[in-house]
Amino acid sequence: MRLVFWVGFWTFLLDQATKYLVVHWLNLRTLHEIDVLPPFLNLRMAWNYGINFGLLGDASAATRWVLIAVALIVAGGVIWWVRRDPPGRWGYAAAGLMVGGALGNVVDRLLYGAVADFLNMSCCGFENPYAFNVADIAVFAGAFGLILFTGRKDAPKNAP
């Protein structure tokens, strides 16, 4: 479980540090966009009041608190799951990514009322209208890792 804690801690810290850097230090909240390596990597300020792709993004206080509660329940559920059914090193790392990312977005909702999304990537004639952040990457990678690296192993073939 130490691995879950440390991966979660560093994920959370990286997420919050990049958001502080981009939102406050680079002042993306006022500039709204900064081209880094167009069109591949751009910084585009987007306040996400909902979930993925802005779904449930009505910006109401009730939605904000429901989404905070859901993220905390998911983080707690992941910790409970990996304690109950130890997944191995990669599964613990995946759980840490998911927990750290979820908590990073919870802090955004508490501080700003919305999640600060800022990474925008496009390629090959496709212009991506959406932005995301380090926490989103971590939650996605963590969920994918939990699918790959957890679950019951098959019983030995010579077992009764």
Side-chain angles (χ1 to χ4, degrees):
M1 289 301 293
R2 269 189 293 225
L3 187 58
V4 175
F5 172 79
W6 285 112
V7 170
F9 172 80
W10 290 110
T11 300
F12 173 83
L13 196 63
L14 178 63
D15 174 64
Q16 290 299 299
T18 56
K19 288 172 181 170
Y20 183 83
L21 172 74
V22 170
V23 173
H24 298 286
W25 196 69
L26 293 177
N27 200 22
L28 193 63
R29 65 183 170 189
T30 303
L31 297 174
H32 302 290
E33 58 186 55
I34 299 171
D35 291 335
V36 179
L37 294 169
F40 305 110
L41 176 62
N42 302 300
L43 303 178
R44 301 284 187 261
M45 191 71 243
W47 295 104
N48 188 350
Y49 295 92
I51 57 174
N52 289 353
F53 309 113
L55 298 171
L56 304 174
D58 64 4
S60 74
T63 301
R64 173 185 175 199
W65 290 107
V66 166
L67 293 176
I68 288 171
V70 167
L72 292 173
I73 290 167
V74 167
V78 167
I79 291 170
W80 174 80
W81 178 18
V82 298
R83 284 185 63 88
R84 193 178 124 260
D85 187 15
R89 189 168 184 83
W90 288 105
Y92 284 131
L97 286 171
M98 198 161 179
V99 169
L103 295 179
N105 283 342
V106 163
V107 167
D108 281 13
R109 290 187 194 284
L110 291 171
L111 292 177
Y112 307 120
V115 173
D117 288 336
F118 58 89
L119 294 168
N120 174 266
M121 301 176 85
S122 298
C123 179
C124 314
F126 171 74
E127 188 171 330
N128 180 12
Y130 300 106
F132 55 95
N133 59 44
V134 172
D136 297 338
I137 297 166
V139 168
F140 178 81
F144 188 70
L146 285 173
I147 291 167
L148 286 178
F149 302 116
T150 61
R152 302 258 179 226
K153 307 294 182 246
D154 291 331
K157 293 187 192 283
N158 58 0

